[in-house]
Amino acid sequence: MSRRGFWSGMAMRMLIAPLVAWLLLTLLSIEGTLFAVILVLSAMPAAVNAVILAEEYDAAPKLVSKCILWTTLASFLVLPVLIGMLS
């Protein structure tokens, strides 16, 4: 299992996805509750469906499982901060 792959997955899911969502929402002039909901959803942990697909296509299912575990744990820190920033 690659540490580089793990940290790349974590960064994409917990940092890059919310930043890209924020940029797109701002460019599209979306505001208010819709902005907040979409931004929070972009920072949610990776879905379990990814493990099923990784297992089915033999695409590093252990790495995907590890990313799901750690993005879920990281979301306990990231989501309250993000929600606090939106309030």
Side-chain angles (χ1 to χ4, degrees):
M1 188 172 346
S2 165
R3 280 185 169 211
R4 186 176 186 195
F6 169 74
W7 286 110
S8 296
M10 286 288 291
M12 283 189 280
R13 191 69 208 137
M14 302 310 290
L15 296 173
I16 296 171
L19 288 173
V20 169
W22 176 81
L23 177 66
L24 290 174
L25 291 167
T26 302
L27 290 173
L28 294 171
S29 300
I30 296 174
E31 298 174 344
T33 303
L34 182 59
F35 181 94
V37 168
I38 294 173
L39 189 61
V40 168
L41 286 175
S42 73
M44 295 296 283
V48 175
N49 302 3
V51 175
I52 295 168
L53 291 172
E55 190 72 40
E56 181 70 27
Y57 295 104
D58 196 29
K62 289 182 182 181
L63 175 63
V64 174
S65 297
K66 186 176 178 181
C67 283
I68 289 172
L69 169 68
W70 286 103
T71 57
T72 301
L73 293 174
S75 70
F76 286 107
L77 300 172
V78 172
L79 290 176
V81 169
L82 187 59
I83 292 169
M85 289 171 42
L86 294 171
S87 297

